[in-house]
Amino acid sequence: MPSPTTPPGQAQRGSPWAQELVSHLQPYATLHHAQRGERFDLCINGQGVCYLIIEGSVAIYRRSNNMLLSTANSPAILGLANLTDIYFDNYFKTLKPCVIGTLATDKANDICTEKDLWSVVSRHLMFVYNRLYHHVMPVGSPTAYELIRQQLQELMAEEESFRARITAERYIRDKTQLSRSGVMRILADLKAGGYVEMEEGRLISINKLPARY
């Protein structure tokens, strides 16, 4: 497991506190064996739901515009932010067959209180929000190229099996909502210049991305 002190911006993607939380909550969860492509809502009929990603990987989307926010590999826990009454009404889809535990956030709240897990929960949420701030949300007003450059680096950090199933153009547009023509033009220029290697639109490797386009 990566050290909880790994500085932001390095290779660590998953929360180093996720496994501890999953271990405490799993005995109270209902297990579901999900197939690839299944959708799960973080809020159902006004009730928050906590999901334990025990095996597999998922992609998290913003409901309002279906923008891809991030991906998560097991072990992971989703929905803890809904322990309050301020719901993050997003959803996620499975990227491969998964084993997922579910329980109401009210139940998770009770367990965290009973087992005195709030220190772990707070560290986990700070890690998640730090990653959201540094890796998902754009800084300032980036140009289209700067957005594409960042998302290519994010895509390269994804699992190889995920990269093999999605084109770079689709990944970038799902996360930025840039125009297809603009994304394709820049990707074509980067490929022609030898900055990236792609096969049938799928990212194989990054050689060196220029700072400016």
Side-chain angles (χ1 to χ4, degrees):
M1 177 184 295
S3 167
T5 58
T6 301
Q10 291 191 7
Q12 183 177 337
R13 290 176 57 84
S15 165
W17 293 278
Q19 181 60 70
E20 182 176 355
L21 291 170
V22 168
S23 297
H24 282 291
L25 296 175
Q26 184 174 341
Y28 305 90
T30 300
L31 295 187
H32 176 69
H33 291 263
Q35 299 303 309
R36 176 186 170 192
E38 290 193 36
R39 171 172 166 161
F40 295 82
D41 295 306
L42 296 183
C43 183
I44 301 176
N45 297 325
Q47 171 64 58
V49 183
C50 184
Y51 295 95
L52 316 176
I53 312 302
I54 300 167
E55 295 180 15
S57 57
V58 301
I60 303 101
Y61 295 85
R62 180 186 295 152
R63 182 187 299 277
S64 61
N65 57 6
N66 295 314
M67 178 180 286
L68 174 62
L69 297 176
S70 184
T71 60
N73 302 320
S74 60
I77 182 166
L78 305 175
L80 280 183
N82 289 340
L83 290 176
T84 67
D85 291 332
I86 305 174
Y87 290 125
F88 287 82
D89 192 15
N90 298 325
Y91 66 92
F92 66 89
K93 290 183 179 180
T94 53
L95 296 174
K96 60 174 69 172
C98 295
V99 177
I100 298 174
T102 64
L103 69 162
T105 51
D106 288 346
K107 180 63 175 178
N109 194 329
D110 292 341
I111 296 167
C112 289
T113 299
E114 177 185 340
K115 294 180 176 290
D116 194 22
L117 298 175
W118 290 111
S119 177
V120 181
V121 170
S122 65
R123 286 175 169 81
H124 168 76
L125 290 178
M126 283 190 288
F127 178 93
V128 171
Y129 291 134
N130 182 67
R131 184 172 187 276
L132 178 70
Y133 180 80
H134 285 282
H135 297 279
V136 178
M137 303 200 49
V139 178
S141 299
T143 65
Y145 171 71
E146 288 170 337
L147 286 173
I148 290 172
R149 184 178 188 271
Q150 177 187 3
Q151 296 310 321
L152 283 172
Q153 293 168 334
E154 288 287 320
L155 178 55
M156 198 66 221
E158 300 280 3
E159 286 187 329
E160 185 177 355
S161 60
F162 175 67
R163 286 190 282 113
R165 293 196 303 268
I166 189 169
T167 63
E169 172 266 330
R170 169 53 62 188
Y171 181 85
I172 293 167
R173 288 206 299 127
D174 281 353
K175 294 188 70 178
T176 64
Q177 298 191 327
L178 293 170
S179 70
R180 184 177 187 276
S181 60
V183 173
M184 292 295 289
R185 183 184 71 254
I186 292 176
L187 288 178
D189 289 345
L190 290 174
K191 183 179 180 181
Y195 298 107
V196 298
E197 294 182 22
M198 295 192 295
E199 292 182 4
E200 298 181 344
R202 290 164 174 79
L203 182 64
I204 304 301
S205 65
I206 294 175
N207 296 323
K208 185 179 181 181
L209 292 172
R212 297 287 183 268
Y213 176 68

